[in-house]
Amino acid sequence: AQSVTQLDSQVPVFEEAPVELRCNYSSSVSVYLFWYVQYPNQGLQLLLKYLSGSTLVKGINGFEAEFNKSQTSFHLRKPSVHISDTAEYFCAVRFTGTASKLTFGTGTRLQVTL
Amino acid sequence: DTGVSQNPRHKITKRGQNVTFRCDPISEHNRLYWYRQTLGQGPEFLTYFQNEAQLEKSRLLSDRFSAERPKGSFSTLEIQRTEQGDSAMYLCASSLALEARTAKNIQYFGAGTRLSVL
């Protein structure tokens, strides 16, 4: 079965500390991978994407993610977070052959404090 | 590029009433998607259009739900005889899908319509 798992529902972190948000997927077909961020009462903003090529992808706001095919993971990282990074982060997967719809994880709430 | 626009942003209705939401995609985008997001969950796919053709519908889309994209531009999502379980954020996304470059079919989301059914 094709699925997306975000293992942490909440991640508290102090400002300027590094953070990693985990995402794993299950699939028998090729995938395209995305991270979106959602601020309160807003829609989803694309942070970064992996379509092909280099497995380390860089996105906006200093975030990066690494595609690990053997571990079927696409973890999101930032070396130093800011208060303004407090938001909900969603990992999304497009499985080839599924007519372009996205399958989302349940989200990880990143809470940055002083 | 003015982004994906959704109206209204918030809708409060009584159970049993009909509601309609509108989505205006990014102007050159040929695909339009609807997702539903309930509290504490990620968005779930409902349906999508390529131009004016509705190409896929999720099992989540019951008979009370209908979506249209009559001229291949804006889309409407109507829910008839609303139920409390329909309370959710309804998200619209659009993308430019080119046959030769399907990998680059990136979806951009609107701010959503939050529906509360009392």
Side-chain angles (χ1 to χ4, degrees):
Chain A
Q2 297 170 336
S3 63
V4 182
T5 302
Q6 291 184 245
L7 297 169
D8 306 300
S9 59
Q10 293 187 63
V11 173
V13 64
F14 290 112
E15 192 175 37
E16 298 183 3
V19 70
E20 179 179 81
L21 306 183
R22 297 180 292 171
C23 174
N24 289 82
Y25 66 91
S26 173
S27 178
S28 57
V29 300
S30 299
V31 296
Y32 304 113
L33 301 158
F34 306 84
W35 276 97
Y36 285 87
V37 60
Q38 186 175 36
Y39 299 100
N41 298 314
Q42 294 188 25
L44 302 173
Q45 180 182 6
L46 181 66
L47 268 181
L48 48 76
K49 60 188 180 292
Y50 170 79
L51 302 179
S52 64
S54 172
T55 56
L56 182 63
V57 294
K58 295 188 182 298
I60 62 172
N61 302 339
F63 284 93
E64 63 180 32
E66 186 157 20
F67 171 47
N68 187 321
K69 188 174 181 180
S70 63
Q71 297 189 0
T72 60
S73 67
F74 190 54
H75 300 333
L76 181 70
R77 295 190 288 260
K78 187 171 183 178
S80 175
V81 296
H82 190 268
I83 289 281
S84 60
D85 293 324
T86 295
E88 191 86 19
Y89 291 79
F90 291 96
C91 178
V93 179
R94 180 153 55 91
F95 302 97
T96 55
T98 59
S100 79
K101 68 182 180 185
L102 293 174
T103 300
F104 286 85
T106 51
T108 297
R109 169 76 176 169
L110 177 62
Q111 182 69 50
V112 182
T113 56
L114 295 173
Chain B
D1 180 355
T2 58
V4 179
S5 176
Q6 292 189 246
N7 287 288
R9 291 292 310 277
H10 303 276
K11 179 70 177 178
I12 300 174
T13 191
K14 292 182 178 179
R15 188 177 52 184
Q17 298 294 305
N18 299 343
V19 294
T20 300
F21 313 138
R22 176 178 170 126
C23 172
D24 288 88
I26 294 171
S27 59
E28 67 270 23
H29 283 184
N30 55 355
R31 286 193 180 173
L32 187 148
Y33 311 78
W34 286 99
Y35 291 83
R36 182 174 69 185
Q37 184 181 18
T38 53
L39 203 61
Q41 299 296 316
E44 295 174 290
F45 170 79
L46 292 178
T47 187
Y48 93 97
F49 294 82
Q50 171 121 352
N51 300 313
E52 65 275 8
Q54 189 173 16
L55 297 186
E56 185 174 348
K57 292 194 290 187
S58 161
R59 285 173 291 179
L60 293 175
L61 214 65
S62 76
D63 291 345
R64 297 184 296 105
F65 287 69
S66 62
E68 294 183 341
R69 194 183 183 197
K71 297 182 180 179
S73 57
F74 73 91
S75 175
T76 58
L77 177 67
E78 181 183 16
I79 308 175
Q80 296 183 325
R81 305 180 304 280
T82 53
E83 302 173 355
Q84 288 184 326
D86 297 331
S87 296
M89 174 81 88
Y90 290 84
L91 294 164
C92 175
S94 70
S95 71
L96 178 62
L98 303 174
E99 284 302 323
R101 303 176 67 191
T102 54
K104 295 188 181 298
N105 177 5
I106 306 302
Q107 294 181 32
Y108 296 91
F109 284 79
T113 294
R114 183 170 295 283
L115 173 66
S116 297
V117 182
L118 304 178

